[in-house]
Amino acid sequence: METVQQSAPVAAPQVEPRAPFRPHRLPVGSDAYNRVAEFLYEEALLLDDLRLAEWTEGLAEDLVYTAPLRQTRHFSEQHLTVIRSVKHFDETYDSIMGRVGRLTKTNSAWAEDPPSRTRRLVTNILVDATDNPNEFDATSYVLLTRNRFEESEMMVLSLVRYDRIRLVDGRLKLAKREIIVDQSVLGMPNLAIFL
Amino acid sequence: METVQQSAPVAAPQVEPRAPFRPHRLPVGSDAYNRVAEFLYEEALLLDDLRLAEWTEGLAEDLVYTAPLRQTRHFSEQHLTVIRSVKHFDETYDSIMGRVGRLTKTNSAWAEDPPSRTRRLVTNILVDATDNPNEFDATSYVLLTRNRFEESEMMVLSLVRYDRIRLVDGRLKLAKREIIVDQSVLGMPNLAIFL
Amino acid sequence: METVQQSAPVAAPQVEPRAPFRPHRLPVGSDAYNRVAEFLYEEALLLDDLRLAEWTEGLAEDLVYTAPLRQTRHFSEQHLTVIRSVKHFDETYDSIMGRVGRLTKTNSAWAEDPPSRTRRLVTNILVDATDNPNEFDATSYVLLTRNRFEESEMMVLSLVRYDRIRLVDGRLKLAKREIIVDQSVLGMPNLAIFL
Amino acid sequence: MLTKTPPSLSDGTRIDDLIHLQTREVQLRVLADPELHRLEMDRIFSQTWLFLGVANEIPNPGDFMVRSMGDDQVIVTRSRDGEVNVLLNVCPHRGMRVCTTEAGNTPVHKCIYHGWAFRPNGDFIGSPVEKEQMHGHILPKSELGLRRARVKVYGTLIFATWNLEGPSFDDFLGDMKFYYDMLFCRSDGGLEALGPPQKFTLHANWKTAGEQSACDGFHTLTLHRWLGDFAKFGDGDLTTSMYGTEVSANGHSMRCPPVAQKFKKLGLEDKSIEEKLELLPPPGVTKEMLPELKRRLSSEQLRLLVESPPQVGGIFPNLMVAFIYVPQPDGTVVGVTSLHAYVPRGPDKVEFTNWFLAERDVSLEMKQKSLQIGIRMLGTSGQIEQDDSDTWPHMSRNARGPQGRLSTMKYQAVCNQPPRPDWPGPGHVYEGFTKDDTQWNWWLKWHELMSATI
Amino acid sequence: MLTKTPPSLSDGTRIDDLIHLQTREVQLRVLADPELHRLEMDRIFSQTWLFLGVANEIPNPGDFMVRSMGDDQVIVTRSRDGEVNVLLNVCPHRGMRVCTTEAGNTPVHKCIYHGWAFRPNGDFIGSPVEKEQMHGHILPKSELGLRRARVKVYGTLIFATWNLEGPSFDDFLGDMKFYYDMLFCRSDGGLEALGPPQKFTLHANWKTAGEQSACDGFHTLTLHRWLGDFAKFGDGDLTTSMYGTEVSANGHSMRCPPVAQKFKKLGLEDKSIEEKLELLPPPGVTKEMLPELKRRLSSEQLRLLVESPPQVGGIFPNLMVAFIYVPQPDGTVVGVTSLHAYVPRGPDKVEFTNWFLAERDVSLEMKQKSLQIGIRMLGTSGQIEQDDSDTWPHMSRNARGPQGRLSTMKYQAVCNQPPRPDWPGPGHVYEGFTKDDTQWNWWLKWHELMSATI
Amino acid sequence: MLTKTPPSLSDGTRIDDLIHLQTREVQLRVLADPELHRLEMDRIFSQTWLFLGVANEIPNPGDFMVRSMGDDQVIVTRSRDGEVNVLLNVCPHRGMRVCTTEAGNTPVHKCIYHGWAFRPNGDFIGSPVEKEQMHGHILPKSELGLRRARVKVYGTLIFATWNLEGPSFDDFLGDMKFYYDMLFCRSDGGLEALGPPQKFTLHANWKTAGEQSACDGFHTLTLHRWLGDFAKFGDGDLTTSMYGTEVSANGHSMRCPPVAQKFKKLGLEDKSIEEKLELLPPPGVTKEMLPELKRRLSSEQLRLLVESPPQVGGIFPNLMVAFIYVPQPDGTVVGVTSLHAYVPRGPDKVEFTNWFLAERDVSLEMKQKSLQIGIRMLGTSGQIEQDDSDTWPHMSRNARGPQGRLSTMKYQAVCNQPPRPDWPGPGHVYEGFTKDDTQWNWWLKWHELMSATI
Ligand code: FES
Ligand code: FES
Ligand code: FES
Ligand SMILES: [Fe+3]
Ligand SMILES: [Fe+3]
Ligand SMILES: [Fe+3]
């Protein structure tokens, strides 16, 4: 049954092509690489500064934004550790706009009001060319720190993002993002924030 | 009453100008960007290696070094979350030299003797030009890890730094730093270390 | 007695030469720097994706791979905080291949089966030229996150790596790595993973 | 050892001191007391039926998944005979965890520590080096198997209990069976899980979530106020949706709001059940399935299903049942059923486990639509429930203060209306604006189990 | 329920077994025992007056800030009538935290869970959907307000207690009022907070900080040895500054070192009080304010203020009062007053809350100077106190060992000098080199409260 | 205070309820009970001899290192007279940690808090400002020193106990001394630590590691199955290496597998002890050292050393002794001795402290080889032990469940063979395939100490 495909493999195109030394890797330090890195740093700053409306300006209208579940499996079954039936996020441009609307306009999005103090530390960026000269595949690691109220311990979540980033009218936009979190049981009360 | 200005807003010039896509952003990968990044990486290495005297060589004598308090406020009051009346740090070049002197010369700066094992992981660097061709504004994220004695858990603190970095005789120096920590109640026993 | 040389100093050549502003520093953004960074990012991706066999392709056959112990000492004794008699790792190319063989071929390397979800966030990269035009010294910071089973808290370990990286037939390989961990008592049940 | 008589805490407090039956109050202390947690593990989570998952999560023989019954971990397996087994994930040899993964398929569960092997039904097969008989001769092999819990597959929902001699599952549901059957037993295919559950942890006592699941409709008005801003949810005024019928028995409960008001435009009022079913099949159900419903449900159940279907509520102690339907721009209505198990992880921590379900026999497209709606509204990133999961930790935290712990949770909004004369269902029936009765009944069940003599 | 008689721990230990009155020793175990912590919450933090903040932190009606009384969180508000209110931050409905932010201004505190609303004075206004009376009829609205603590604004300092019938604040200060008035009631404007407090947490029991605040002058010589390297702090030999007078009552205490030695160059010895006041106004006070001082303080107080002002000490149980003055290069003396509340966060954790204060009526520039000195010497990054906050956790850690817990804290340095005949102040007066008496008195107060019959 | 009679837990459970002597079972609960942990600290870790380190770690007068005895931290020093001292790292003044570093050299240990000073033998020297006698006069200086434990340096191994009047170290070892002497007292130079120990923590109860150290040979077959894949470890079939002799006394034990089978090719069977010694000196020993061995060991010990040397086992309560030898490609055999102290850090946490040792008088090259083998197989990254350290936490976790805690650890594999008639050693001797007797003896010792009247 598809819907219980716990055995849905990590779709090959989503990981394999990111193999090192593949033909389409754009060198670290190349123009495209640097622009993508800048895009990701600025995106993090907008999200951490709660400038959500500005953040959405960097989203493509055909955006696909997902966060699969993770499942603990044996070494020999690693292709089963990423679950893409049920997910933590399964969003489109419209649904993201809806979420941003709730957070910024309702004055009753309590899960983030008062807001968390967050920091999205972006590292290990790798960029690949795609068949479309105006689109790039970007792999980036993120360490998310999140602190609420008077908590003396910071919540920490690490993850990798597989993005498709598109150049539109000289400006980069996020067209696709898959977020692979490094926990099977999340250690935070919700994902009321964007990753 | 000024001194109780809990409502002192996050001074506009300190955040707004850092908005993405502003005219003075220096591209990631540009010469200035790379030099600033190198400066920040070397600074972190000096601090983590406890080479404090060498670190001070990278400080300008008109240095202003501060770390505001944070306060948990509603989404609609984010401009009130950074407190600049009382601070965690409020330093000048002289006061920093005094702190370094205590740490390195008195043999009784117990808060850091034995010293913490620290790591300042610097990410998300963005650099802006300023009116002064020899000065740059740098935004950087830091994840500070700190471990003391036989502790099996690492203390973790994330923060963003807004720096003014100046080119003096071909060498970069830190002229201004504001440290915005991501906690309203710090999870460590003190800030006997530099951020 | 050599073997109890707790007082074996941090061998000068291993740290001093990494001092900032030294003649052989290769600028951030230089070609060599960018290639080394890319090598380190790709290495992290291979390890985090458990593509261990591919990872070993990036190891030189004269590899020396070590992780000293740390010891808490007074500020005045920092040269004694890195212990190089007993270590956490003391490996050669062959012993690493043996470890990889155990992890990938025996189906009973339980310490990592099921595998941890890991993330090696690499930051603060600095690169130096060496006497050998085909070899580079690389300093890199790593924040390792590790999550096993249903743990809701991520294990976190920060460290610095001092690498010797060699260009062989147009491809970079790791020839030497010393891992300085930031804990004297490790907070994880083992180091069944590579750093 | 288990306390055999109504227990008291080390400071002399008795359970009866913590719950005030006359004034319908419960001391906040119950949300943060380690001793009470220990007692709850023995007296509730070791005694009642607990929800563990959905049959289609382990469709094939050998399939298994690891779940929790309170602080205990269990392996839910399907054995060769197709039966569902629930086994304590504790090796009878030395207590090692037998399954170290979350799910998989295997004909033999072999403990990695010393190699004792067990069948998916828990039977002990043997230990390595057969001739050395390393399991000894003191106990027969029959006593060396994995500890088996008592299992009931209700519709497609897997429940289990450690109370082997206790009440049957039907007795456990009692009068509420009438209502749950309308959701879980109405179709031949039954509900299926659309995938494994989302899992995340909050620093809150499990009861903060448990008591809310007993039909706390009132909090929607304020905590979920934002819903009012979205016209598509009712007419924007959430208050109207607070009216309806609440039913309760044995600590379980469901809210059954009238459908009519939600769909005025359809002018359902004067239609017959038959017509209503055709006009507006219960969301998540297709017209094709209606014959099944008619066959499986009584006319009373059918009528309620179209007029006042059970929509949200809980099964004591820690299962929340949420059925939400969202009218779409295109006029259709997409519904999704979600089940939450609030699994205790010590007194101050709870694991929110969230399944999304749909009728097996609807189209894949419909399932995907349901799932997407569900993910966006409920669970990890759910815009409705992210507010709940951020609220509960505050209650537990307050319960740790010397004054806070003496404060009480109050259930003093008492229903003062008689049940609708035409209400066909059993159980305690509360009419009108949502009140506190169902939640109070939840606490009465808690009190009964916690002060029972076992 | 609260223990009503002198309590004993579950292993049979009595409070009297933990403190040895004859030999002036306290078992280290008291620094790490969860049961004792629970008792302290009931017998100390629910009974005594506690410091919460400064009046000017909430200058306007509707202003509020969230603070702590032991493990309880409270809202400190200013109501329309200008009064300061201290309210338990626990919703009477179901225990949710009412204020989720640290500070702000609002005429109505509305709980986000179900919408119960309260005035800044704690009065219950009502719950949503008035006509449904969701708060029920079992309790009158007057009993549904936020729990109110008893408040005293002393000078500009806000104190509160849960002990509504207990001793007045003046009785609580007792003989020490004479000295605290010299700091907190000497001027018309009084002291004001220069901003919100710094907050940070240590893994130490609150008493490690509490007992030190009772005038542990001795540790300065070693733990703060580095101060000796800075000529500007006295003559470099810290020993001399260990001589002076220590006063104590009700567990409170202050060190009052003679000013003269610190400022030999000024040759104050043979001057009159008047002249001394003019020559060297108490740091932090301007000449302009002297008339106020003369009006508000007795001649005895004035004399002490110029000769041996109260400088550092504490108010039982968890408030530290530090008044430091730092001679500047330009010959002036900059003073700053700092208050620390050591707020327990369980037996092994304490929140260090640090306020900086200055006289309201001095120049902004002077305030800024004071604040800067304060930040550099005290609190989070304070070069003096960072050593204290790294020391205390070791004591708590040692208290967890089976042998360590049996070790004792000793207070055996007994003052053997008679009080100065010309000492005008009340209370226990200890003359000469700093000794352990004031700290021992702190423990005697702890013992009194912990073994009282309540 | 210490319980003076066989203790029972607050829920009424007695120690005897937790261990079933007839069926050789131990309730899993003992792996996660805080009350039991407290009792273990008093009844085991405050009573028995504990391993702390190796003499050559502190070769010179003034050298010190900080180690642990249960939850207590101690300073292990070498004083001017060359003696080894073990001192509680708790300042007698106010409980501050005296040594804040892990190791170093100093003639005076000065507490950083108030400056009390102590000699490496613990004697109190004095406190600052001598003439003020800040240590008071209530106790004589002789009672103000650091608490001293009783010390025994066995071979080069440092042991200590708080039980000053208890059994001698030899009585503590009892019949097992015969075997340990073969490892630790066979040479003039003795074993030396090759450096400080590796340290890392697991979230497991210390007894999960402790009970395994009592010769759990059986787990090797499954948990360390991978070893079979490496021909160099025996013939690939690990089963054969499960046969041999196990000896046990006082809770201590060692496995002594026959060497012959491991080295068939050498055809040792028909050789004399002398010849065998020459052909295959005990790994880690050089031919040059053989005369020492012959002088120091009895002929029985010599024979066992070549035929069935003690290889792996433990000294009650928390020391593991592992001696592994790895045949090299070049035909030589490299051996390494490793000692693990499993230091409790509360009920759910243990610090794995791992020393590598070699004979002092072998070549540096040989030591380096041993060390490298050791690091790759044992401890932090050791390919053998990384599997153990990932296993134990699961047991502790399972012990927290309400059903899991009732589950038992079973020791029902009983040796049914008579000892070899020619076995020359004392103690309980178990012949044949590894069984559970030695581990059961470990628990009997635990039971004896935990239920003793002290
Ligand atoms: S614990 Fe499972 S086989 Fe021994
Ligand atoms: S808990 Fe505050 S209104 Fe219900
Ligand atoms: S605590 Fe050691 S000198 Fe006071
Ligand atoms: Fe809700
Ligand atoms: Fe101090
Ligand atoms: Fe093992």
Side-chain angles (χ1 to χ4, degrees), chain E residues 283-406:
Chain E
V285 172
T286 59
K287 284 196 169 54
E288 296 64 36
M289 294 165 61
L290 292 179
E292 298 177 16
L293 269 64
K294 293 176 188 166
R295 176 160 34 80
R296 299 176 144 263
L297 302 178
S298 71
S299 58
E300 290 76 10
Q301 288 173 309
L302 271 182
R303 200 186 101 217
L304 286 186
L305 196 56
V306 289
E307 291 180 356
S308 288
Q311 193 177 323
V312 58
I315 296 182
F316 186 92
N318 69 331
L319 179 64
M320 165 144 183
V321 178
F323 175 66
I324 63 172
Y325 39 89
V326 183
Q328 298 299 292
D330 67 7
T332 65
V333 178
V334 175
V336 63
T337 303
S338 172
L339 296 178
H340 309 337
Y342 299 123
V343 182
R345 293 266 179 262
D348 299 329
K349 205 169 159 191
V350 59
E351 184 173 311
F352 191 131
T353 315
N354 177 33
W355 290 261
F356 293 109
L357 298 87
E359 290 286 345
R360 186 194 71 186
D361 296 337
V362 300
S363 69
L364 177 52
E365 185 210 355
M366 186 161 167
K367 287 174 183 173
Q368 300 296 24
K369 259 197 195 161
S370 294
L371 180 54
Q372 219 163 31
I373 292 284
I375 289 172
R376 294 172 188 174
M377 289 299 154
L378 308 173
T380 319
S381 71
Q383 295 171 89
I384 295 174
E385 292 190 329
Q386 59 184 229
D387 294 333
D388 294 295
S389 56
D390 197 60
T391 292
W392 297 325
H394 290 304
M395 297 166 68
S396 279
R397 190 213 164 291
N398 277 346
R400 287 194 279 277
Q403 299 303 313
R405 68 206 288 257
L406 301 175

Side-chain angles (χ1 to χ4, degrees), chain D residues 212 216 219-220 223-224 320 384-385 387-388 392, chain E residues 113:
Chain D
Q212 192 209 60
D216 180 347
H219 81 282
T220 307
L223 191 66
H224 303 309
M320 165 145 183
I384 296 174
E385 293 191 327
D387 293 335
D388 295 294
W392 297 324
Chain E
Y113 200 177

Side-chain angles (χ1 to χ4, degrees), chain B residues 1 3-4 6 71-72 85 87-88 90 99 102 107-108 110-111 148-149 184 186 189-192, chain E residues 56-57 102 192-194 198-201 223 225-226 371-372 376 380-381 383 386-387 389-390 394:
Chain B
M1 249 304 303
T3 53
V4 287
Q6 302 183 19
Q71 204 171 62
T72 302
S85 52
K87 309 181 185 71
H88 290 303
D90 188 357
R99 288 178 178 273
R102 172 181 125 87
N107 270 320
S108 62
W110 307 118
R148 290 182 63 63
F149 308 109
S184 114
L186 289 176
N190 57 48
L191 285 180
Chain E
N56 74 311
E57 291 187 81
E102 272 179 277
E192 71 178 8
L194 298 175
Q198 299 174 327
K199 297 179 185 174
F200 52 102
T201 53
L223 191 66
R225 194 180 76 208
W226 73 280
L371 180 54
Q372 219 163 31
R376 294 172 188 174
T380 319
S381 71
Q383 295 171 89
Q386 59 184 229
D387 294 333
S389 56
D390 197 60
H394 290 304

Side-chain angles (χ1 to χ4, degrees), chain D residues 135-192:
Chain D
H135 48 277
H137 301 92
I138 293 173
L139 296 177
K141 276 181 141 191
S142 59
E143 289 184 30
L144 297 178
L146 294 171
R147 180 92 186 287
R148 284 174 63 86
R150 184 174 161 205
V151 179
K152 165 73 177 183
V153 180
Y154 171 61
T156 56
L157 309 186
I158 301 169
F159 285 83
T161 179
W162 295 114
N163 188 348
L164 306 186
E165 309 305 327
S168 70
F169 185 76
D170 285 3
D171 292 349
F172 167 73
L173 288 189
D175 284 343
M176 288 301 290
K177 186 172 189 313
F178 174 91
Y179 303 97
Y180 295 125
D181 285 350
M182 293 161 57
L183 296 175
F184 304 122
C185 305
R186 62 190 176 193
S187 66
D188 298 349
L191 292 168
E192 71 177 9

Side-chain angles (χ1 to χ4, degrees), chain F residues 119-139:
Chain F
R119 299 202 190 294
N121 68 1
D123 290 350
F124 175 61
I125 300 173
S127 50
V129 196
E130 175 66 10
K131 76 172 195 296
E132 293 294 347
Q133 290 287 298
M134 289 300 292
H135 47 276
H137 301 90
I138 292 173
L139 295 177

